[in-house]
Tab-separated table of all heavy atoms in Angstrom:
chain	number	residue	atom	x	y	z
A	28	MET	N	6.049	-0.773	29.569
A	28	MET	CA	5.254	-0.970	28.358
A	28	MET	C	5.148	-2.457	28.047
A	28	MET	O	6.133	-3.189	28.112
A	28	MET	CB	5.918	-0.246	27.175
A	28	MET	CG	5.279	-0.569	25.830
A	28	MET	SD	6.196	0.134	24.444
A	28	MET	CE	5.614	1.812	24.460
A	29	LYS	N	3.920	-2.867	27.723
A	29	LYS	CA	3.687	-4.261	27.308
A	29	LYS	C	3.054	-4.244	25.914
A	29	LYS	O	2.178	-3.433	25.637
A	29	LYS	CB	2.735	-4.958	28.283
A	29	LYS	CG	3.348	-5.227	29.656
A	29	LYS	CD	4.052	-6.567	29.651
A	29	LYS	CE	4.767	-6.828	30.974
A	29	LYS	NZ	3.878	-7.012	32.109
A	30	VAL	N	3.488	-5.165	25.077
A	30	VAL	CA	2.995	-5.227	23.704
A	30	VAL	C	2.382	-6.602	23.449
A	30	VAL	O	2.927	-7.627	23.888
A	30	VAL	CB	4.144	-5.007	22.694
A	30	VAL	CG1	3.625	-5.057	21.273
A	30	VAL	CG2	4.829	-3.688	22.952
A	31	THR	N	1.262	-6.597	22.752
A	31	THR	CA	0.693	-7.851	22.263
A	31	THR	C	0.374	-7.683	20.780
A	31	THR	O	0.162	-6.568	20.299
A	31	THR	CB	-0.606	-8.244	23.013
A	31	THR	OG1	-1.559	-7.191	22.876
A	31	THR	CG2	-0.323	-8.504	24.488
A	32	VAL	N	0.374	-8.797	20.064
A	32	VAL	CA	0.037	-8.766	18.645
A	32	VAL	C	-1.008	-9.835	18.354
A	32	VAL	O	-1.074	-10.864	19.040
A	32	VAL	CB	1.272	-9.010	17.744
A	32	VAL	CG1	2.270	-7.883	17.890
A	32	VAL	CG2	1.920	-10.347	18.040
A	33	ASP	N	-1.833	-9.556	17.353
A	33	ASP	CA	-2.849	-10.511	16.910
A	33	ASP	C	-2.428	-11.023	15.535
A	33	ASP	O	-2.665	-10.366	14.515
A	33	ASP	CB	-4.210	-9.821	16.854
A	33	ASP	CG	-5.296	-10.761	16.355
A	33	ASP	OD1	-5.004	-11.943	16.071
A	33	ASP	OD2	-6.445	-10.304	16.253
A	34	THR	N	-1.783	-12.170	15.523
A	34	THR	CA	-1.280	-12.690	14.252
A	34	THR	C	-2.417	-13.042	13.299
A	34	THR	O	-2.238	-13.030	12.085
A	34	THR	CB	-0.398	-13.930	14.482
A	34	THR	OG1	-1.127	-14.885	15.255
A	34	THR	CG2	0.874	-13.565	15.223
A	35	GLY	N	-3.591	-13.307	13.840
A	35	GLY	CA	-4.737	-13.639	12.990
A	35	GLY	C	-5.227	-12.452	12.183
A	35	GLY	O	-5.795	-12.619	11.102
A	36	SER	N	-5.016	-11.237	12.719
A	36	SER	CA	-5.428	-10.021	12.008
A	36	SER	C	-4.344	-9.477	11.101
A	36	SER	O	-4.634	-8.758	10.148
A	36	SER	CB	-5.798	-8.922	13.017
A	36	SER	OG	-6.821	-9.336	13.859
A	37	CYS	N	-3.098	-9.777	11.404
A	37	CYS	CA	-1.952	-9.216	10.680
A	37	CYS	C	-2.058	-9.492	9.185
A	37	CYS	O	-2.373	-10.599	8.768
A	37	CYS	CB	-0.670	-9.843	11.228
A	37	CYS	SG	0.825	-9.385	10.334
A	38	VAL	N	-1.778	-8.445	8.377
A	38	VAL	CA	-1.826	-8.588	6.922
A	38	VAL	C	-0.422	-8.549	6.302
A	38	VAL	O	-0.267	-8.313	5.102
A	38	VAL	CB	-2.729	-7.517	6.278
A	38	VAL	CG1	-4.166	-7.714	6.709
A	38	VAL	CG2	-2.250	-6.110	6.612
A	39	SER	N	0.585	-8.762	7.138
A	39	SER	CA	1.965	-8.966	6.659
A	39	SER	C	2.545	-7.760	5.932
A	39	SER	O	3.352	-7.912	5.017
A	39	SER	CB	2.040	-10.205	5.748
A	39	SER	OG	1.463	-11.319	6.374
A	40	SER	N	2.136	-6.563	6.340
A	40	SER	CA	2.614	-5.377	5.633
A	40	SER	C	4.053	-5.015	5.976
A	40	SER	O	4.746	-4.398	5.168
A	40	SER	CB	1.709	-4.190	5.960
A	40	SER	OG	1.808	-3.893	7.342
A	41	GLY	N	4.471	-5.342	7.184
A	41	GLY	CA	5.867	-5.138	7.564
A	41	GLY	C	6.224	-3.787	8.142
A	41	GLY	O	7.372	-3.552	8.494
A	42	GLN	N	5.261	-2.857	8.252
A	42	GLN	CA	5.594	-1.542	8.816
A	42	GLN	C	6.204	-1.650	10.203
A	42	GLN	O	7.121	-0.921	10.551
A	42	GLN	CB	4.348	-0.647	8.933
A	42	GLN	CG	4.013	0.109	7.688
A	42	GLN	CD	2.840	-0.555	7.017
A	42	GLN	OE1	2.803	-1.780	6.928
A	42	GLN	NE2	1.899	0.219	6.552
A	43	CYS	N	5.660	-2.531	11.019
A	43	CYS	CA	6.130	-2.637	12.407
A	43	CYS	C	7.599	-3.053	12.455
A	43	CYS	O	8.360	-2.571	13.290
A	43	CYS	CB	5.260	-3.614	13.187
A	43	CYS	SG	5.198	-5.279	12.513
A	44	VAL	N	8.003	-3.921	11.551
A	44	VAL	CA	9.398	-4.391	11.527
A	44	VAL	C	10.332	-3.269	11.103
A	44	VAL	O	11.426	-3.111	11.644
A	44	VAL	CB	9.529	-5.606	10.592
A	44	VAL	CG1	10.964	-6.107	10.561
A	44	VAL	CG2	8.578	-6.711	11.031
A	45	LEU	N	9.888	-2.464	10.142
A	45	LEU	CA	10.704	-1.335	9.706
A	45	LEU	C	10.860	-0.308	10.820
A	45	LEU	O	11.928	0.270	11.002
A	45	LEU	CB	10.071	-0.677	8.474
A	45	LEU	CG	10.080	-1.517	7.201
A	45	LEU	CD1	9.263	-0.822	6.112
A	45	LEU	CD2	11.496	-1.766	6.719
A	46	LEU	N	9.792	-0.094	11.583
A	46	LEU	CA	9.823	0.912	12.641
A	46	LEU	C	10.580	0.427	13.874
A	46	LEU	O	11.327	1.183	14.486
A	46	LEU	CB	8.384	1.280	13.044
A	46	LEU	CG	7.632	2.181	12.083
A	46	LEU	CD1	6.145	2.137	12.367
A	46	LEU	CD2	8.151	3.605	12.187
A	47	ALA	N	10.373	-0.816	14.271
A	47	ALA	CA	10.901	-1.305	15.547
A	47	ALA	C	11.438	-2.734	15.393
A	47	ALA	O	10.833	-3.709	15.849
A	47	ALA	CB	9.793	-1.259	16.610
A	48	PRO	N	12.603	-2.860	14.775
A	48	PRO	CA	13.119	-4.191	14.441
A	48	PRO	C	13.604	-5.016	15.638
A	48	PRO	O	13.832	-6.212	15.484
A	48	PRO	CB	14.279	-3.881	13.482
A	48	PRO	CG	14.684	-2.489	13.816
A	48	PRO	CD	13.430	-1.782	14.221
A	49	GLU	N	13.745	-4.385	16.799
A	49	GLU	CA	14.115	-5.173	17.979
A	49	GLU	C	12.885	-5.735	18.682
A	49	GLU	O	12.998	-6.578	19.558
A	49	GLU	CB	14.924	-4.310	18.959
A	49	GLU	CG	16.289	-3.909	18.431
A	49	GLU	CD	17.068	-3.076	19.438
A	49	GLU	OE1	17.019	-3.378	20.635
A	49	GLU	OE2	17.713	-2.110	19.011
A	50	THR	N	11.729	-5.246	18.288
A	50	THR	CA	10.483	-5.671	18.929
A	50	THR	C	9.678	-6.606	18.034
A	50	THR	O	9.046	-7.549	18.517
A	50	THR	CB	9.632	-4.438	19.295
A	50	THR	OG1	10.409	-3.582	20.131
A	50	THR	CG2	8.353	-4.848	20.020
A	51	PHE	N	9.707	-6.333	16.731
A	51	PHE	CA	8.896	-7.120	15.794
A	51	PHE	C	9.760	-7.782	14.724
A	51	PHE	O	10.760	-7.224	14.283
A	51	PHE	CB	7.871	-6.211	15.087
A	51	PHE	CG	6.980	-5.436	16.004
A	51	PHE	CD1	7.170	-4.076	16.186
A	51	PHE	CD2	5.941	-6.055	16.685
A	51	PHE	CE1	6.353	-3.337	17.028
A	51	PHE	CE2	5.117	-5.336	17.534
A	51	PHE	CZ	5.319	-3.970	17.707
A	52	ASP	N	9.329	-8.950	14.295
A	52	ASP	CA	9.912	-9.612	13.131
A	52	ASP	C	8.750	-10.174	12.325
A	52	ASP	O	7.586	-10.053	12.730
A	52	ASP	CB	10.863	-10.731	13.582
A	52	ASP	CG	11.836	-11.142	12.482
A	52	ASP	OD1	11.730	-10.636	11.343
A	52	ASP	OD2	12.694	-11.992	12.761
A	53	GLN	N	9.077	-10.759	11.169
A	53	GLN	CA	8.025	-11.366	10.359
A	53	GLN	C	8.314	-12.837	10.139
A	53	GLN	O	9.475	-13.233	9.917
A	53	GLN	CB	7.923	-10.667	8.989
A	53	GLN	CG	7.238	-9.327	9.050
A	53	GLN	CD	7.178	-8.646	7.697
A	53	GLN	OE1	8.140	-8.019	7.283
A	53	GLN	NE2	6.046	-8.781	7.021
A	54	ASN	N	7.264	-13.626	10.168
A	54	ASN	CA	7.369	-15.055	9.905
A	54	ASN	C	7.948	-15.290	8.510
A	54	ASN	O	7.516	-14.661	7.547
A	54	ASN	CB	5.960	-15.661	10.016
A	54	ASN	CG	5.956	-17.157	9.847
A	54	ASN	OD1	6.280	-17.669	8.787
A	54	ASN	ND2	5.571	-17.853	10.896
A	55	GLU	N	8.927	-16.165	8.423
A	55	GLU	CA	9.590	-16.398	7.137
A	55	GLU	C	8.643	-16.993	6.099
A	55	GLU	O	8.850	-16.830	4.904
A	55	GLU	CB	10.791	-17.331	7.324
A	55	GLU	CG	11.969	-16.661	8.014
A	55	GLU	CD	13.180	-17.573	8.079
A	55	GLU	OE1	13.191	-18.586	7.361
A	55	GLU	OE2	14.098	-17.262	8.855
A	56	ASP	N	7.632	-17.686	6.530
A	56	ASP	CA	6.743	-18.369	5.592
A	56	ASP	C	5.640	-17.462	5.060
A	56	ASP	O	5.426	-17.376	3.850
A	56	ASP	CB	6.114	-19.591	6.259
A	56	ASP	CG	7.162	-20.643	6.579
A	56	ASP	OD1	8.134	-20.767	5.805
A	56	ASP	OD2	7.022	-21.321	7.607
A	57	ASP	N	4.930	-16.783	5.953
A	57	ASP	CA	3.772	-16.012	5.488
A	57	ASP	C	3.859	-14.521	5.795
A	57	ASP	O	2.939	-13.765	5.470
A	57	ASP	CB	2.481	-16.600	6.066
A	57	ASP	CG	2.448	-16.559	7.587
A	57	ASP	OD1	3.322	-15.917	8.191
A	57	ASP	OD2	1.535	-17.182	8.163
A	58	GLY	N	4.955	-14.087	6.412
A	58	GLY	CA	5.135	-12.658	6.646
A	58	GLY	C	4.362	-12.092	7.821
A	58	GLY	O	4.414	-10.888	8.065
A	59	THR	N	3.647	-12.929	8.533
A	59	THR	CA	2.902	-12.399	9.677
A	59	THR	C	3.855	-12.006	10.799
A	59	THR	O	4.980	-12.499	10.895
A	59	THR	CB	1.882	-13.428	10.207
A	59	THR	OG1	2.566	-14.649	10.501
A	59	THR	CG2	0.785	-13.680	9.200
A	60	VAL	N	3.363	-11.116	11.624
A	60	VAL	CA	4.208	-10.530	12.666
A	60	VAL	C	4.629	-11.590	13.699
A	60	VAL	O	3.861	-12.482	14.056
A	60	VAL	CB	3.471	-9.359	13.347
A	60	VAL	CG1	2.225	-9.839	14.088
A	60	VAL	CG2	4.402	-8.598	14.283
A	61	VAL	N	5.876	-11.450	14.136
A	61	VAL	CA	6.414	-12.252	15.231
A	61	VAL	C	6.858	-11.271	16.310
A	61	VAL	O	7.648	-10.358	16.024
A	61	VAL	CB	7.622	-13.102	14.772
A	61	VAL	CG1	8.253	-13.823	15.961
A	61	VAL	CG2	7.199	-14.090	13.691
A	62	LEU	N	6.346	-11.431	17.502
A	62	LEU	CA	6.716	-10.533	18.598
A	62	LEU	C	8.026	-11.013	19.223
A	62	LEU	O	8.103	-12.098	19.790
A	62	LEU	CB	5.597	-10.508	19.643
A	62	LEU	CG	5.782	-9.510	20.793
A	62	LEU	CD1	5.831	-8.072	20.272
A	62	LEU	CD2	4.661	-9.673	21.813
A	63	LEU	N	9.061	-10.176	19.107
A	63	LEU	CA	10.372	-10.524	19.665
A	63	LEU	C	10.492	-10.086	21.114
A	63	LEU	O	11.213	-10.712	21.889
A	63	LEU	CB	11.486	-9.837	18.857
A	63	LEU	CG	11.601	-10.197	17.384
A	63	LEU	CD1	12.714	-9.371	16.746
A	63	LEU	CD2	11.874	-11.681	17.211
A	64	ALA	N	9.831	-8.983	21.460
A	64	ALA	CA	9.987	-8.422	22.798
A	64	ALA	C	8.647	-7.889	23.298
A	64	ALA	O	8.187	-6.839	22.847
A	64	ALA	CB	11.014	-7.295	22.783
A	65	ALA	N	8.000	-8.611	24.195
A	65	ALA	CA	6.729	-8.148	24.768
A	65	ALA	C	6.940	-6.907	25.627
A	65	ALA	O	6.011	-6.142	25.857
A	65	ALA	CB	6.088	-9.256	25.599
A	66	GLU	N	8.181	-6.724	26.096
A	66	GLU	CA	8.544	-5.504	26.824
A	66	GLU	C	9.687	-4.843	26.042
A	66	GLU	O	10.860	-5.159	26.240
A	66	GLU	CB	8.971	-5.834	28.252
A	66	GLU	CG	7.846	-6.467	29.058
A	66	GLU	CD	8.225	-6.674	30.518
A	66	GLU	OE1	9.173	-6.026	30.989
A	66	GLU	OE2	7.580	-7.498	31.174
A	67	PRO	N	9.348	-3.945	25.116
A	67	PRO	CA	10.348	-3.371	24.209
A	67	PRO	C	11.431	-2.596	24.953
A	67	PRO	O	11.174	-2.011	26.009
A	67	PRO	CB	9.533	-2.407	23.336
A	67	PRO	CG	8.130	-2.862	23.460
A	67	PRO	CD	7.998	-3.445	24.830
A	68	PRO	N	12.646	-2.559	24.380
A	68	PRO	CA	13.715	-1.762	24.973
A	68	PRO	C	13.330	-0.282	24.982
A	68	PRO	O	12.583	0.188	24.115
A	68	PRO	CB	14.915	-2.028	24.052
A	68	PRO	CG	14.341	-2.568	22.788
A	68	PRO	CD	13.057	-3.250	23.152
A	69	ALA	N	13.854	0.451	25.963
A	69	ALA	CA	13.468	1.853	26.150
A	69	ALA	C	13.651	2.675	24.878
A	69	ALA	O	12.814	3.510	24.540
A	69	ALA	CB	14.279	2.456	27.290
A	70	GLY	N	14.719	2.416	24.163
A	70	GLY	CA	15.014	3.203	22.988
A	70	GLY	C	14.073	2.967	21.824
A	70	GLY	O	14.103	3.695	20.831
A	71	GLU	N	13.235	1.963	21.923
A	71	GLU	CA	12.343	1.631	20.815
A	71	GLU	C	10.872	1.853	21.160
A	71	GLU	O	9.991	1.578	20.348
A	71	GLU	CB	12.578	0.168	20.399
A	71	GLU	CG	12.232	-0.095	18.957
A	71	GLU	CD	12.833	-1.365	18.403
A	71	GLU	OE1	12.315	-2.437	18.715
A	71	GLU	OE2	13.801	-1.280	17.627
A	72	GLN	N	10.586	2.364	22.335
A	72	GLN	CA	9.185	2.448	22.757
A	72	GLN	C	8.387	3.462	21.942
A	72	GLN	O	7.219	3.221	21.627
A	72	GLN	CB	9.112	2.737	24.255
A	72	GLN	CG	9.627	1.537	25.056
A	72	GLN	CD	9.411	1.659	26.544
A	72	GLN	OE1	8.905	2.664	27.034
A	72	GLN	NE2	9.798	0.627	27.269
A	73	ASP	N	8.993	4.583	21.560
A	73	ASP	CA	8.277	5.544	20.716
A	73	ASP	C	7.946	4.918	19.368
A	73	ASP	O	6.849	5.113	18.833
A	73	ASP	CB	9.118	6.805	20.508
A	73	ASP	CG	9.168	7.683	21.752
A	73	ASP	OD1	8.377	7.432	22.683
A	73	ASP	OD2	10.012	8.600	21.787
A	74	ALA	N	8.887	4.153	18.833
A	74	ALA	CA	8.661	3.500	17.547
A	74	ALA	C	7.566	2.441	17.655
A	74	ALA	O	6.787	2.244	16.719
A	74	ALA	CB	9.964	2.871	17.060
A	75	VAL	N	7.490	1.776	18.790
A	75	VAL	CA	6.446	0.763	18.992
A	75	VAL	C	5.069	1.422	19.043
A	75	VAL	O	4.100	0.912	18.469
A	75	VAL	CB	6.732	-0.046	20.272
A	75	VAL	CG1	5.542	-0.931	20.632
A	75	VAL	CG2	7.983	-0.899	20.082
A	76	ARG	N	4.997	2.588	19.694
A	76	ARG	CA	3.713	3.309	19.712
A	76	ARG	C	3.337	3.749	18.287
A	76	ARG	O	2.168	3.718	17.902
A	76	ARG	CB	3.802	4.533	20.623
A	76	ARG	CG	3.935	4.172	22.080
A	76	ARG	CD	3.835	5.400	22.972
A	76	ARG	NE	4.278	5.101	24.321
A	76	ARG	CZ	3.564	4.431	25.210
A	76	ARG	NH1	2.368	3.986	24.887
A	76	ARG	NH2	4.042	4.190	26.408
A	77	GLN	N	4.326	4.157	17.530
A	77	GLN	CA	4.073	4.541	16.139
A	77	GLN	C	3.583	3.334	15.342
A	77	GLN	O	2.663	3.449	14.520
A	77	GLN	CB	5.352	5.102	15.525
A	77	GLN	CG	5.171	5.778	14.188
A	77	GLN	CD	4.358	7.056	14.287
A	77	GLN	OE1	4.360	7.727	15.308
A	77	GLN	NE2	3.651	7.374	13.215
A	78	ALA	N	4.167	2.184	15.605
A	78	ALA	CA	3.736	0.969	14.909
A	78	ALA	C	2.292	0.637	15.245
A	78	ALA	O	1.511	0.231	14.371
A	78	ALA	CB	4.663	-0.193	15.287
A	79	GLU	N	1.921	0.809	16.509
A	79	GLU	CA	0.530	0.548	16.901
A	79	GLU	C	-0.414	1.447	16.105
A	79	GLU	O	-1.471	0.995	15.639
A	79	GLU	CB	0.347	0.794	18.406
A	79	GLU	CG	-1.081	0.549	18.868
A	79	GLU	CD	-1.330	1.016	20.286
A	79	GLU	OE1	-0.688	1.987	20.733
A	79	GLU	OE2	-2.181	0.392	20.961
A	80	LEU	N	-0.027	2.710	15.934
A	80	LEU	CA	-0.891	3.672	15.245
A	80	LEU	C	-0.953	3.428	13.749
A	80	LEU	O	-1.972	3.715	13.110
A	80	LEU	CB	-0.391	5.098	15.511
A	80	LEU	CG	-0.513	5.599	16.951
A	80	LEU	CD1	0.162	6.950	17.105
A	80	LEU	CD2	-1.973	5.675	17.368
A	81	THR	N	0.130	2.929	13.174
A	81	THR	CA	0.189	2.826	11.713
A	81	THR	C	-0.096	1.428	11.189
A	81	THR	O	-0.252	1.256	9.981
A	81	THR	CB	1.562	3.285	11.195
A	81	THR	OG1	2.577	2.493	11.789
A	81	THR	CG2	1.801	4.743	11.510
A	82	CYS	N	-0.163	0.440	12.039
A	82	CYS	CA	-0.466	-0.916	11.564
A	82	CYS	C	-1.802	-0.913	10.827
A	82	CYS	O	-2.822	-0.540	11.393
A	82	CYS	CB	-0.527	-1.882	12.750
A	82	CYS	SG	-1.111	-3.530	12.267
A	83	PRO	N	-1.828	-1.317	9.572
A	83	PRO	CA	-3.060	-1.249	8.781
A	83	PRO	C	-4.139	-2.221	9.257
A	83	PRO	O	-5.309	-2.069	8.899
A	83	PRO	CB	-2.594	-1.591	7.369
A	83	PRO	CG	-1.351	-2.379	7.552
A	83	PRO	CD	-0.690	-1.813	8.787
A	84	ALA	N	-3.751	-3.191	10.057
A	84	ALA	CA	-4.707	-4.195	10.525
A	84	ALA	C	-5.087	-3.999	11.992
A	84	ALA	O	-5.838	-4.799	12.541
A	84	ALA	CB	-4.120	-5.592	10.331
A	85	ALA	N	-4.562	-2.961	12.619
A	85	ALA	CA	-4.785	-2.745	14.053
A	85	ALA	C	-4.475	-4.019	14.843
A	85	ALA	O	-5.220	-4.419	15.745
A	85	ALA	CB	-6.210	-2.261	14.317
A	86	ALA	N	-3.371	-4.642	14.486
A	86	ALA	CA	-3.005	-5.929	15.089
A	86	ALA	C	-2.041	-5.784	16.266
A	86	ALA	O	-1.656	-6.780	16.870
A	86	ALA	CB	-2.375	-6.822	14.019
A	87	ILE	N	-1.655	-4.548	16.579
A	87	ILE	CA	-0.692	-4.300	17.653
A	87	ILE	C	-1.392	-3.548	18.768
A	87	ILE	O	-2.095	-2.562	18.523
A	87	ILE	CB	0.495	-3.460	17.120
A	87	ILE	CG1	1.235	-4.234	16.030
A	87	ILE	CG2	1.462	-3.108	18.276
A	87	ILE	CD1	2.255	-3.390	15.276
A	88	ARG	N	-1.205	-4.025	19.992
A	88	ARG	CA	-1.769	-3.355	21.163
A	88	ARG	C	-0.653	-3.045	22.139
A	88	ARG	O	0.141	-3.914	22.475
A	88	ARG	CB	-2.801	-4.245	21.854
A	88	ARG	CG	-4.110	-4.361	21.094
A	88	ARG	CD	-4.976	-3.125	21.295
A	88	ARG	NE	-6.221	-3.187	20.518
A	88	ARG	CZ	-6.355	-2.658	19.304
A	88	ARG	NH1	-5.345	-2.055	18.729
A	88	ARG	NH2	-7.508	-2.743	18.655
A	89	VAL	N	-0.626	-1.797	22.595
A	89	VAL	CA	0.371	-1.361	23.571
A	89	VAL	C	-0.357	-0.964	24.841
A	89	VAL	O	-1.365	-0.260	24.788
A	89	VAL	CB	1.167	-0.156	23.015
A	89	VAL	CG1	2.149	0.361	24.064
A	89	VAL	CG2	1.901	-0.551	21.743
A	90	SER	N	0.166	-1.405	25.972
A	90	SER	CA	-0.407	-0.990	27.257
A	90	SER	C	0.716	-0.546	28.175
A	90	SER	O	1.883	-0.916	27.991
A	90	SER	CB	-1.198	-2.126	27.890
A	90	SER	OG	-0.357	-3.225	28.157
A	91	GLY	N	0.361	0.242	29.165
A	91	GLY	CA	1.351	0.729	30.120
A	91	GLY	C	2.155	1.877	29.548
A	91	GLY	O	1.913	2.346	28.444
A	92	SER	N	3.113	2.355	30.341
A	92	SER	CA	3.894	3.507	29.913
A	92	SER	C	5.347	3.137	29.764
A	92	SER	O	5.743	2.034	30.033
A	92	SER	CB	3.748	4.634	30.918
A	92	SER	OG	4.115	4.178	32.195
B	5	LIG	S1	2.337	-3.529	10.783
B	5	LIG	FE1	0.561	-4.741	11.457
B	5	LIG	S2	-0.142	-5.800	9.622
B	5	LIG	FE2	1.934	-5.087	9.210
B	5	LIG	S3	3.286	-6.836	9.758
B	5	LIG	FE3	3.112	-5.486	11.569
B	5	LIG	S4	1.404	-6.343	12.758
B	5	LIG	FE4	1.248	-7.183	10.690
């Protein structure tokens, strides 16, 4: 699994961080998403897919299995 984020689209809602805290973080200044792991740990991959689906800005893209 590979993950990319579009910080320009991110609206700093934080859902992704709540769902998958080993993969996503938020910028301390403006709350925009920070990608911690472009290849998420196995135990967090379902949560990363959930984050892709629930991100209000469609700023998360997941590819591969
Ligand atoms: S869920 Fe989407 S909009 Fe919210 S912080 Fe994460 S990437 Fe940004």
Side-chain angles (χ1 to χ4, degrees):
M28 171 187 279
K29 290 272 176 67
V30 181
T31 58
V32 295
D33 178 1
T34 54
S36 301
C37 174
V38 295
S39 308
S40 64
Q42 275 104 317
C43 58
V44 180
L45 292 173
L46 284 163
E49 293 181 40
T50 303
F51 305 106
D52 199 355
Q53 284 179 278
N54 184 295
E55 287 185 15
D56 294 326
D57 61 10
T59 55
V60 64
V61 174
L62 185 62
L63 299 177
E66 297 186 19
E71 206 162 77
Q72 292 188 358
D73 286 348
V75 170
R76 292 188 194 284
Q77 191 67 29
E79 180 190 30
L80 293 173
T81 58
C82 172
I87 298 170
R88 287 282 177 266
V89 176
S90 62
S92 56

